[in-house]
Amino acid sequence: NEAKQIWSMNTCQLKVEMVDWLYTMIQHSQQDINIAAAKALAHAWVLFPSILESSLSNLIQLFTTSIDEIVENAQSVNNLHIAATTEIIRAPIRAAIVITIGEASSLYHNLDLLNLIVEFLINQGLKDFDDTVWNNVLDAGLKIVATCGQEHIEWLLPKLNTYLNNIEELKAGQ
């Protein structure tokens, strides 16, 4: 209810000033918020194409730094040493980032930008060990092929063939 009120106060329009906030919300601990922010950011790219390249670079950097980790915690209580581990899962952040990339697939007509995205999806996204991230990478790739494939078929086919020919090698690197 409060969210709707804030949205209404802002005349129900996405503004370029909201992009940094959306970037932060992609990193939220609630998966539904990650996904909503990811889709909103993709929409912002459509509305404000001048922010696409810098925003995309930030997302790719966020993807590479959003690794899952295990944190060792130790404390002493009454001369008793207690060790515990906490697993920090950041796969929902990576999954949301890939959703953003897929949702904005209609914008990738520049070959340099398309190359950056395809290289990222193949060399980082498809190497992710999380099934949701991996499936989102496949979905994003299919959207990109559907929207850009005909325009860039001479470039895209050899790129995909190279990947498919090396898939066993790539999977072994996981």
Side-chain angles (χ1 to χ4, degrees):
N1 203 15
E2 291 171 347
K4 287 181 183 178
Q5 185 179 18
I6 292 169
W7 188 248
S8 295
M9 287 172 29
N10 284 299
T11 64
C12 301
Q13 294 180 0
L14 187 58
K15 299 176 182 174
V16 73
E17 297 83 20
M18 297 175 169
V19 169
D20 288 338
W21 178 76
L22 290 172
Y23 182 79
T24 302
M25 288 297 98
I26 285 176
Q27 301 170 65
H28 197 276
S29 60
Q30 292 292 321
Q31 188 173 8
D32 291 343
I33 293 173
N34 301 78
I35 294 169
K39 290 179 178 182
L41 183 57
H43 185 65
W45 291 353
V46 171
L47 295 175
F48 314 109
S50 63
I51 67 166
L52 172 60
E53 288 189 39
S54 63
S55 185
L56 178 63
S57 294
N58 289 339
L59 279 186
I60 290 173
Q61 180 63 32
L62 180 60
F63 185 97
T64 60
T65 59
S66 295
I67 56 173
D68 299 343
E69 61 183 303
I70 296 176
V71 177
E72 304 270 340
N73 300 316
Q75 58 180 312
S76 294
V77 178
N78 296 332
N79 292 329
L80 180 61
H81 184 71
I82 302 171
T85 58
T86 303
E87 188 172 12
I88 301 172
I89 305 294
R90 294 191 179 100
I93 296 170
R94 297 190 309 275
I97 289 167
V98 176
I99 287 172
T100 303
I101 291 170
E103 290 292 317
S105 63
S106 65
L107 302 175
Y108 310 143
H109 297 287
N110 173 302
L111 192 56
D112 290 334
L113 184 61
L114 183 61
N115 184 54
L116 173 72
I117 292 165
V118 170
E119 289 289 327
F120 163 73
L121 292 175
I122 290 172
N123 295 323
Q124 294 182 42
L126 287 177
K127 290 183 181 179
D128 199 289
F129 60 88
D130 184 83
D131 288 342
T132 302
V133 175
W134 204 82
N135 287 328
N136 287 356
V137 169
L138 290 180
D139 289 343
L142 290 173
K143 287 178 181 179
I144 290 167
V145 168
T147 57
C148 303
Q150 186 173 4
E151 182 179 356
H152 295 291
I153 193 72
E154 293 85 22
W155 174 85
L156 196 54
L157 275 180
K159 185 74 77 175
L160 295 176
N161 280 334
T162 299
Y163 168 73
L164 292 173
N165 289 334
N166 296 319
I167 198 162
E168 291 304 316
E169 179 182 315
L170 288 171
K171 284 191 155 233
Q174 286 187 1

